[in-house]
Amino acid sequence: MKFVARGPSLATSALSGRRFIVMLCIVLCATVAGPSSSTGTSHAAPPPQAESRVPMLFGSAPDAPDSQLQAIVDDTVGELGGDWGVAVKKLDTGQYAAFNGDVQQVSASLYKMWVLNELYRQARVGLIDLDGTSTVTGSDAAYDASLGILRLNVGSTITFRQAANLMITLSDNTSSELLVRHLGPDNINRFMQQNGLKDSILNWYGNSDNLTTPLDVLREMELVATSRMVDAESSRQMVETMLDQRIVDLFPPGLPAGGKLAHKTGSLDGLLHDAGIVYGPSGPFVLVAMSSNLSSYATARENMPLLLRRVYDYFNNRPYSPARFFPETRQSVGHDFLKFYNIYGGVEIFGYPLGPEQMVNGTLVQHFERARMEWHPEMAEGPAPVAGVALGLLGQEQARKLNLTWSASANTGTDRYFTGTGQGLQGGFLDFWLNHGGERIFGLPISPEAPMLNPSDGKTYITQYFQRARFEYHPELPEGRRIVLGALSSEAGANP
């Protein structure tokens, strides 16, 4: 199905007649380079990541259709005038529902998130400087000038970071034109195709409409929310930009006090969309609502806030305890251990559960192939997602059992150095550490990066021990998946 806009009328209008194919695949491990010692190169450590106003997750649960959530969505939008599409997912539990989720609609300004993603990709690989500047051309400004909403005059200078902020928070078309001119439509297409959105189309050359679906928008927002769009720091900055959204007439009126919303809107004649990440006490969820062929904007402005409020209340005003059975080891994981497992990387990081929850010396624990999860009620009120769960100090324990000790490394100034343990992090291991939870998950490094014998298979790999984990570089694995965690629990004989 294709909806053709009848022409822009609002200040937040998107450029119609532009098509963009986008693909967005959910990956559980970030694409990272090999460790510095395995590639023969090193680089200066990136600056410490800034604190975010909201929790930045590192993964999400598999989709789990929720009949009660589906009933809420159907009841709210099912009988409304116009053409509606909705998709919603609770990230830590996977609770999911959709209404016309795979039906294409004109994207309006939702396409500007694709531009933002490519901007941060190019900044990450050094192709563009976010604080570099560009001059607004007549072509950049033509559309907004025709609408009488021009914010950037021809000849004015702006940084790419400022342009991105205007493009998202005010849906400024001049800024998006300028950014696409520098980034290149083909580069935007290529990056998004590599990342898996299958039904989103932007024609930048003017012979058709921008199209997308609620499910594609949800998947894109899911990657951003879970620190997997480009990398963790880029995702954080994109979320921070969306939190400053200044078009607030659709979802925001339904947001309860204390909730936060990072979102992007879109509008054209007869069309209103809102899509974003909603942060509440029980954890974040992504909500996308798209409405086309509206006879009155009031339909969307009355019902989108209602939809957000009903979904928010469903997730936050009732207890929910997820559980998942793993046939590979015939074990189940539930409650906060499962939320922690989903958020921080799932099977790619922790491996499969080796046994059930059990009490060990007064602490509730569960062993996985590569980690031991522990429940610490004294931490449960902390700021982190699933604050009461921590990983056991398996790295320290296994190093001690193997009689491995290391002298402090010199601070070379080319890595992230930790005076508390006298060790540094650099290259691919540093990227992996940053993009999968850092100290919260793995603790600090307790060894240098060096070739070491692997107790699991007797082979030698570039390895580094951490307080709670062991990083290994496996060159035989596909690119982007070569850094893995050592099977510390399995080696320790946990839950035989």
Side-chain angles (χ1 to χ4, degrees):
M1 182 181 300
K2 177 176 175 181
F3 302 94
V4 179
R6 295 189 291 275
S9 65
L10 301 181
T12 55
S13 295
L15 300 175
S16 99
R18 302 206 162 175
R19 174 168 299 185
F20 178 35
I21 297 178
V22 199
M23 299 243 117
L24 190 53
C25 132
I26 295 182
V27 290
L28 288 171
C29 276
T31 299
V32 292
S36 58
S37 56
S38 69
T39 61
T41 61
S42 63
H43 58 74
Q49 292 176 291
E51 289 296 323
S52 178
R53 287 177 280 171
V54 293
M56 292 301 299
L57 312 183
F58 294 84
S60 53
D63 293 353
D66 183 325
S67 60
Q68 295 182 66
L69 180 63
Q70 186 67 53
I72 290 172
V73 171
D74 293 346
D75 181 65
T76 305
V77 305
E79 301 299 324
L80 297 179
D83 297 300
W84 283 77
V86 171
V88 57
K89 181 178 178 179
K90 182 80 157 38
L91 298 179
D92 57 1
T93 63
Q95 293 165 271
Y96 162 90
F99 179 88
N100 291 334
D102 58 355
V103 176
Q104 288 179 320
Q105 297 191 38
V106 173
S107 73
S109 287
L110 295 184
Y111 85 87
K112 292 169 184 173
M113 283 298 301
W114 311 334
V115 181
L116 187 70
N117 297 335
E118 173 63 11
L119 173 66
Y120 274 90
R121 185 198 71 82
Q122 292 198 19
R124 169 65 173 158
V125 299
L127 296 176
I128 200 167
D129 180 355
L130 289 172
D131 295 311
T133 61
S134 182
T135 300
V136 176
T137 68
S139 177
D140 296 336
Y143 186 72
D144 279 342
S146 72
L147 298 177
I149 58 170
L150 186 64
R151 299 181 180 89
L152 298 172
N153 293 324
V154 175
S156 59
T157 299
I158 189 172
T159 70
F160 296 117
R161 192 187 304 274
Q162 290 168 334
N165 184 274
L166 285 173
M167 177 182 69
I168 297 301
T169 63
L170 290 173
S171 208
D172 185 75
N173 299 308
T174 304
S175 297
S176 66
E177 288 275 359
L178 179 148
L179 288 171
V180 174
R181 174 165 57 85
H182 281 276
L183 299 172
D186 291 343
N187 291 326
I188 299 172
N189 280 324
R190 188 176 303 113
F191 176 58
M192 300 308 287
Q193 288 168 2
Q194 290 169 352
N195 283 294
L197 267 74
K198 59 186 177 62
D199 294 313
S200 297
I201 305 169
L202 173 67
N203 178 359
W204 200 247
Y205 305 103
N207 58 8
S208 188
D209 285 313
N210 311 336
L211 301 175
T212 192
T213 68
L215 288 180
D216 275 6
V217 178
L218 183 147
R219 298 312 178 200
E220 181 185 22
M221 292 286 182
E222 183 175 19
L223 278 191
V224 175
T226 56
S227 297
R228 294 175 294 164
M229 180 58 79
V230 183
D231 65 1
E233 177 60 14
S234 299
S235 296
R236 184 195 67 79
Q237 292 188 38
M238 286 187 266
V239 167
E240 292 291 331
T241 300
M242 290 192 292
L243 284 168
D244 291 332
Q245 178 61 247
R246 294 170 64 183
I247 301 170
V248 294
D249 60 339
L250 296 175
F251 281 163
L255 187 68
K260 293 183 179 180
L261 173 64
H263 67 126
K264 179 72 190 79
T265 63
S267 65
L268 287 170
D269 272 0
L271 174 160
L272 287 175
H273 305 327
D274 208 345
I277 310 154
V278 185
Y279 298 89
S282 71
F285 62 92
V286 173
L287 179 63
V288 180
M290 303 178 65
S291 59
S292 299
N293 294 325
L294 297 171
S295 59
S296 170
Y297 287 145
T299 302
R301 291 191 173 118
E302 292 170 3
N303 288 282
M304 285 191 187
L306 175 63
L307 175 65
L308 184 144
R309 185 57 180 256
R310 293 186 68 182
V311 172
Y312 186 101
D313 288 346
Y314 177 72
F315 287 141
N316 290 286
N317 291 348
R318 59 190 290 273
Y320 180 79
S321 182
R324 179 180 172 189
F325 176 72
F326 290 82
E328 295 83 357
T329 56
R330 301 187 63 80
Q331 299 295 333
S332 293
V333 182
H335 314 290
D336 286 343
F337 283 167
L338 181 60
K339 291 183 180 182
F340 189 95
Y341 182 89
N342 289 330
I343 288 170
Y344 290 110
V347 68
E348 298 291 341
I349 297 296
F350 305 116
Y352 294 111
L354 296 177
E357 295 179 359
Q358 55 185 301
M359 295 298 294
V360 177
N361 298 324
T363 300
L364 183 68
V365 305
Q366 186 165 16
H367 285 273
F368 297 77
E369 292 171 307
R370 302 185 179 99
R372 181 181 70 233
M373 292 187 190
E374 302 176 351
W375 173 248
H376 294 274
E378 72 278 7
M379 299 168 49
E381 301 303 320
V386 202
V389 179
L391 296 186
L393 297 170
L394 276 179
Q396 289 185 181
E397 294 167 10
Q398 281 300 94
R400 189 180 303 117
K401 287 182 181 179
L402 297 171
N403 295 314
L404 297 174
T405 59
W406 299 275
S407 300
S409 301
N411 186 353
T412 63
T414 62
D415 57 8
R416 178 75 61 80
Y417 190 78
F418 300 89
T419 56
T421 60
Q423 303 295 340
L425 258 175
Q426 60 183 329
F429 280 172
L430 174 58
D431 290 341
F432 189 93
W433 188 82
L434 288 171
N435 287 318
H436 292 80
E439 183 177 357
R440 169 81 170 97
I441 302 303
F442 308 116
L444 302 181
I446 59 174
S447 83
E449 177 188 303
M452 299 185 197
L453 187 69
N454 188 294
S456 292
D457 62 13
K459 297 180 180 179
T460 297
Y461 303 99
I462 301 296
T463 299
Q464 188 163 19
Y465 274 81
F466 294 75
Q467 292 166 320
R468 305 178 189 278
R470 184 180 70 224
F471 287 9
E472 301 169 2
Y473 180 70
H474 288 251
E476 76 281 5
L477 296 178
E479 185 176 354
R481 305 178 73 86
R482 291 174 179 166
I483 295 178
V484 299
L485 267 60
L488 294 176
S489 272
S490 295
E491 292 166 10
N495 295 101

